[in-house]
Amino acid sequence: MPFYHKLGKIPHKRHTQFRKPDGSLYYEQLFGTIGFDGMYSNMYHEQRPTQVKEIKGSKNIKPKVAKANHIQSYRFRGFEIQPEGDYLESRKPVLTNSDCTIILAAPKNKTQDYFYKNSDADELIFVHRGSGKFRSHLGNLDFKYGDYLLIPRGTIYKLDFDTEDNRLFIVESRRPIYTPKRYRNWFGQLLEHSPFCERDLRRPYELETNNESGEFLMKIKKQDELFDMVYASHPFDVVGYDGYNYPYAFSIHDFEPITGRIHQPPPVHQTFETDAFVVCSFCPRKYDYHPQSIPAPYNHSNIDSDEVLYYVDGDFMSRNDIEAGHISLHPAGIPHGPHPGATERSIGKTETEELAVMVDTFKPLQICEDAMPIADETYYKSWLEH
Ligand SMILES: [Fe+2]
C-alpha cells in the first residue's frame, strides 16, 4: 500500500525503548517485503512473536494440474463449485501458473479455529457473495459484496462471515500486487486521472490486542505446503504499528469508469498490477458516444497473455449464455471477440450494467483438476455462425 498508516500506540522513535505499564519492553517486529527494499511496517507485540511450541505436520496443497498445455477457450461455471465448511478446505484452484493461482471458494463456516498465513503469495480476495469481518494482526476490515481485499504475504488473518452463503474469487500472487504505477506520481500519490484515489482505499480501523498465552494453531502456507504450527502467544497481540505494509479493502463499486466517444481498451479498467498479471474491473458505465460507435469490443489477439474474466453481475454485452459466477478463459495465441450477434446488439445502447473482474496473465495458465467438473468443453466452438 503506497501510503502511510498508523494504528494503535507506537513509540516516538523506531528501534527505541517502548515500555509496557509494568516497565517491561514491548517486542518490536519489522514486517517487510522484498528484503529491506519493499514496503514495511513496524509492529509492537505484547509477547515475543517467535514462540513456536510445536510443528505438528504439513499437507501439500500445490494445485493439481489437469491440462498443462492447451490452446482451447473455456467457460467454467463457478457457482457449481460446491460449498464446504472450512475456509481453507473450500479454496479450489481453477487456473494456475508459476506466478499466480486463481481460486474459487464457497466457505460455509462462519469462522476458523486457527490463524492463517500465506507466506508464498499476496492474496487478492474478491467478495462476490457474503459479508463479514477480515481480522488480522494488523487490524480489522469489514467486507461485503463487491469488495477486493488485498492481503500482503505474511499477514496473519481470519475471515469471519455473517452467514453460510459466501462466494469468493481469489488470486494468489507470487509477485507483489500494487495499484497501477501510471496512476501514481513520483511520490506514490494517486493522480487525478486515476479511476480511484486514496479515499476509496479502506485501511484497517480496529486493532485486536490479545495478551494471551497458551496454544494457538497457525496454518502457514510456504512453498505450496501448509504447515500446522502451534504458537505459545496469541498471534493478534500487536499494540500498535505504522508503515506502508498492511491489508486494505477497495470496493469495485467505488471504481469510476473511464469512458470515451469510441471503444476504450481494457487498460482503462485496470485496478491492480504486478509484473506477471493485471487485474481490471468492468463496471456499470455509459457507453461510447460517437454517433457511429460500436460499444461491443472488436476481435483481439492477446498473443502473449491469457485472459480470464469472472462475471459478477449484469448482462455481459459481448457474450451469449454467460451467467454470474462464470469464468471465461481466452488463451494466448488465438484471437477472441464478441459472440455472433453481440456487435449488432450493442449498437445504439447507451449504457451497461455489467460487472466483471478480469485477470490477464503474461504466462499461460494451466487448468487445474478442480476446474474440470465445472468446465464447458464446447465453449471454444461458441463463435461458429451455424
Ligand atoms: Fe478480451
Side-chain angles (χ1 to χ4, degrees), residues 266 300 302 307 309 319 330 336 358:
H300 49 286
N302 40 330
E307 180 193 284
L309 260 169
R319 297 271 165 266
H330 299 131
H336 66 275
M358 185 170 83

Side-chain angles (χ1 to χ4, degrees), residues 339-341 344 381-386:
H339 274 135
E344 295 76 7
K381 296 182 178 179
S382 61
W383 286 267
L384 291 172
E385 292 282 0
H386 302 290

Side-chain angles (χ1 to χ4, degrees), residues 11 13-16 25-30 42-45 49:
K13 279 274 179 193
R14 53 188 173 176
H15 322 319
T16 58
L25 290 166
Y26 286 110
Y27 299 91
E28 187 179 28
Q29 183 193 353
L30 185 83
N42 262 304
M43 303 181 281
Y44 297 88
H45 294 270

